[in-house]
Amino acid sequence: MVVKSTARRRKIAPGVPPPAGDDVAGLIARAQTFSPAPANPDLLAAMAGIAAGVCVYTATGVVTLANRRFLEAFGLTDDLVIQGATWPEMMADLPVTNTGLALEALTRLTCPGRTEQTLADGRTLCITRSPVEGGGWVDTVGDITDERSTLAAAAYRARHDALTGLPNRTVLMERMQEALRLAQRGELSAALCLDLDRFKAVNDRLGHAIGDKVLEAVGERLRNQLRGTDTAARLGGDEFAMIQGRIRSPREAQTIAQRIVADLSRPYQIGAHEIRIGASVGIEMIDGSELNPANILRNADLALYRAKSAGGGDVTFYEPAMQMRLDERHRLEAQLREAIRDDSLILHYQPQVDLRSGQILGFEALVRWQHPTRGLLEPVEFIHVAEEIGVIRQLGVRVLDLACLEAAGWSRPVSVSVNMSSSQFADDGIVYDVASALQRSGLTPARLILEVTESILTSNSPAALALLGRLKALGVRISLDNLGVGPSFVSYAPRDVFDIVKIDQSILAMSSGKPGGMDLIEAYAAFCQTLGMSPTIGGVESLAQLARLEPGGCEVGQGFAFARPVPANDVHQLLDSATRL
């Protein structure tokens, strides 16, 4: 448009296309040579066709030329534009709406210069001012609302968890730095690490889609528990963290944490599923004694580990001794990896005895670790470590190979039982491991008994049963260990899977010394025999227990009443000298 002295805008002839190659830079160049008068139709046509808003000014700031897109960007109408006036003069009486905000941005601009302005209707404009040769300048304006919205969304995603909408680790560490600054002024804060108890079972049983819904609900409950000075974040998986600002005392931090644990432990209704999980919390106070945010979070995580180890559902504060235990744990992990590679893992053998004849029918192989500084360690001290660091299969292969090799050299062809971890049934590699051990040792397959627990079946029943079937096809025998501890196996195990069932020692301990106490063991034994499985009773610790067992229906016994586990070298002596244990 050309600014005129009247309130009417000169009409532009329709259908006149802008010359090829015209853009903002071209218009600026043409504005330097063309006089902004109605007799310049080419310039007017180009101004009308360009996508950006353009306005040309004299050296004194008087508006001489503006296209329709410039007016539309600011919500202006033709009748407001007056020749020989500046924008502030023309808009002096307008309210501060979109137009007023935009004109405020224009008055702030220098030449050259650039600014952005968000209008009352939410749009964001980018305004650029460029000089014109001989005096004056040109403003170009573009709508960058979508661009800014996209950038804002990207910035939000970079600082927030996509699933729960909670802040992420980046925001948490910024908040930690702020808490550290407050600590220098004597104000107390607390860092909390939170982890959900029993959440893995939700994913395993109901699937990750339901698990994600639970995490969303957890995020919402955490938001509802926040005070104005708190920040909650999701670190990943089912791990969350929180900064409690302006805490009066550790006791207050503990009270808030316990309230959060109670809230997160309430049932979750996800569709048709009522889901019950729990939460554990570790706390490290931010009091200025530790200035590294990463160390503070690590300490809270160590406290969380202790809370989880105690059974979950607890709130635990960090103590320096926890770091010492962690360092010791790391050393133990490294030493265990090394022990699997060398000869530090050895086997002891405990006899399994025919209760009628007293003859040794076989031995259970029990792994021991000859630790370089702590002496001989039993499985309870390191098996869980092997499972947690993912070396249980290597350990299992080592035990299996050693048991088969040593049993192949015994003076009598009795059986050898080897315990199998549920982790070894993660894939069909277990079949290869057993077949290889038998081949390398030359042990007759029928002499090898693989002892498994019910957890193998309950965690992945169809796949586990298929693997057990393939193992039996090798000619080995399968023993179900710890009967009476978990749910009844008969609901999911065909009777042709197990050859032997070992009744857990807790059943014997519970039954001993009570009137009719052996009835339960007799019932278990009769049940197993009905299914064609040989019942074995474990944990026979005394001669009194042994005497009560003889009429009880169990065929085989094992425990200290017969013999303690012995090193491999002593097996030959037991086999050669014992006629009855």
Side-chain angles (χ1 to χ4, degrees):
M1 61 162 271
V2 175
V3 178
K4 301 184 68 175
S5 57
T6 65
R8 292 183 175 273
R9 179 181 179 276
R10 178 185 181 274
K11 303 294 184 183
I12 299 175
V16 180
D22 267 318
D23 54 15
V24 174
L27 284 173
I28 293 174
R30 297 179 68 177
Q32 296 171 1
T33 56
F34 281 84
S35 172
N40 294 320
D42 287 346
L43 183 58
L44 293 173
M47 291 280 281
I50 196 166
V54 179
C55 183
V56 183
Y57 304 83
T58 67
T60 60
V62 171
V63 178
T64 61
L65 194 65
N67 67 356
R68 177 174 294 280
R69 291 192 181 277
F70 190 87
L71 299 179
E72 291 173 346
F74 296 145
L76 296 170
T77 57
D78 295 351
D79 58 347
L80 294 176
V81 184
I82 303 172
Q83 187 179 21
T86 64
W87 285 121
E89 293 170 342
M90 288 184 278
M91 304 295 114
D93 298 329
L94 288 181
V96 181
T97 58
N98 285 334
T99 302
L101 290 170
L103 292 179
E104 284 183 11
L106 288 175
T107 59
R108 294 195 304 267
L109 265 176
T110 58
C111 186
R114 182 181 183 278
T115 190
E116 295 180 8
Q117 179 67 55
T118 299
L119 305 183
D121 61 6
R123 290 182 298 126
T124 301
L125 301 180
C126 178
I127 309 166
T128 304
R129 180 162 290 178
S130 306
V132 174
E133 185 178 347
W137 65 85
V138 174
D139 284 346
T140 58
V141 61
D143 190 324
I144 59 170
T145 305
D146 291 344
E147 176 186 345
R148 285 292 172 264
S149 178
T150 300
L151 290 174
Y156 180 87
R157 289 193 298 270
R159 295 171 58 81
H160 290 78
D161 173 56
L163 180 63
T164 64
L166 291 173
N168 60 14
R169 185 183 294 269
T170 299
V171 178
L172 182 77
M173 299 310 282
E174 292 173 356
R175 182 68 183 85
M176 189 94 74
Q177 291 284 13
E178 181 182 344
L180 283 170
R181 286 192 292 271
L182 292 174
Q184 299 307 307
R185 302 205 300 260
E187 295 189 21
L188 197 62
S189 301
L192 280 65
C193 281
L194 302 89
D195 190 85
L196 301 181
D197 301 332
R198 303 182 300 279
F199 178 73
K200 182 179 182 300
V202 175
N203 278 337
D204 292 344
R205 183 168 56 91
L206 300 177
H208 288 275
I210 297 295
D212 285 349
K213 292 293 185 183
V214 173
L215 292 175
E216 290 180 40
V218 168
E220 186 61 28
R221 291 189 187 183
L222 279 177
R223 264 189 293 270
N224 293 336
Q225 289 288 343
L226 295 179
R227 305 169 305 150
T229 56
D230 298 342
T231 299
R234 183 184 178 216
L235 304 183
D238 62 337
E239 299 177 8
F240 298 82
M242 180 182 291
I243 302 298
Q244 296 175 348
R246 302 183 186 279
I247 294 294
R248 291 187 295 270
S249 67
R251 178 60 185 169
E252 182 182 5
Q254 183 182 37
T255 299
I256 296 172
Q258 288 171 337
R259 186 172 67 237
I260 291 172
V261 168
D263 189 32
L264 297 185
S265 300
R266 291 188 295 108
Y268 297 81
Q269 192 65 45
I270 308 296
H273 305 286
E274 183 180 88
I275 298 170
R276 294 179 180 272
I277 57 174
S280 301
V281 177
I283 303 178
E284 165 70 322
M285 301 307 297
I286 305 176
D287 55 9
S289 59
E290 172 60 68
L291 300 180
N292 188 326
N295 289 346
I296 292 173
L297 196 62
R298 179 206 61 194
N299 292 346
D301 194 54
L302 283 173
L304 170 64
Y305 179 80
R306 168 62 67 85
K308 298 282 285 187
S309 301
D314 198 7
V315 175
T316 303
F317 283 89
Y318 169 75
E319 299 172 359
M322 293 178 181
Q323 183 62 51
M324 298 174 58
R325 284 190 289 269
L326 179 64
D327 294 341
E328 176 60 30
R329 167 61 182 260
H330 288 163
R331 284 193 294 271
L332 186 68
E333 291 174 3
Q335 291 167 341
L336 180 56
R337 293 180 190 275
E338 183 64 28
I340 293 174
R341 290 191 293 267
D342 60 28
D343 295 329
S344 299
L345 292 179
I346 61 176
L347 296 182
H348 283 198
Y349 295 91
Q350 187 170 36
Q352 295 171 327
V353 179
D354 187 317
L355 293 178
R356 298 178 181 84
S357 67
Q359 295 295 316
I360 295 177
L361 301 178
F363 292 87
E364 180 179 1
L366 301 169
V367 65
R368 301 289 187 264
W369 177 11
Q370 190 64 55
H371 191 273
T373 59
R374 295 170 57 187
L376 197 64
L377 301 183
E378 297 198 358
V380 68
E381 300 182 75
F382 61 88
I383 289 296
H384 68 285
V385 177
E387 291 180 334
E388 290 172 10
I389 66 176
V391 297
I392 190 64
R393 178 173 176 179
Q394 295 94 307
L395 188 151
V397 169
R398 169 68 179 163
V399 170
L400 189 63
D401 280 344
L402 192 57
C404 290
L405 185 64
E406 291 179 342
W410 290 345
S411 58
R412 288 168 47 197
V414 297
S415 66
V416 60
S417 298
V418 178
N419 291 284
M420 311 299 289
S421 165
S422 59
S423 301
Q424 293 176 266
F425 281 76
D427 54 53
D428 59 2
I430 183 66
V431 180
Y432 171 81
D433 294 340
V434 172
S436 298
L438 291 170
Q439 183 180 27
R440 284 191 291 265
S441 65
L443 184 72
T444 304
R447 291 180 59 194
L448 176 61
I449 299 173
L450 303 178
E451 293 198 6
V452 301
T453 62
E454 290 179 85
S455 61
I456 291 176
L457 298 175
T458 55
S459 61
N460 190 9
S461 181
L465 287 173
L467 286 176
L468 289 174
R470 292 175 61 186
L471 289 170
K472 283 179 66 68
L474 297 176
V476 304
R477 288 180 285 171
I478 308 295
S479 173
L480 177 69
D481 200 5
N482 304 129
L483 176 64
V485 175
S488 175
F489 71 99
V490 296
S491 60
Y492 47 76
R495 48 175 80 184
D496 61 348
V497 170
F498 297 105
D499 304 284
I500 301 165
V501 176
K502 183 181 287 187
I503 300 171
D504 190 72
Q505 60 184 6
S506 63
I507 303 299
L508 177 59
M510 179 178 63
S511 303
S512 298
K514 297 179 181 179
M518 294 295 110
D519 292 349
L520 180 59
I521 294 177
E522 292 179 18
Y524 271 123
F527 173 72
C528 293
Q529 290 168 336
T530 300
L531 295 179
M533 305 171 191
S534 175
T536 296
I537 184 69
V540 184
E541 307 297 330
S542 67
L543 294 177
Q545 287 179 328
L546 179 60
R548 292 172 64 84
L549 275 175
E550 290 183 352
C554 286
E555 300 173 1
V556 180
Q558 179 180 340
F560 292 169
F562 303 104
R564 292 180 176 272
V566 298
N569 291 337
D570 294 344
V571 170
H572 291 281
Q573 182 179 353
L574 281 176
L575 287 175
D576 293 341
S577 63
T579 57
R580 179 180 175 88
L581 287 181

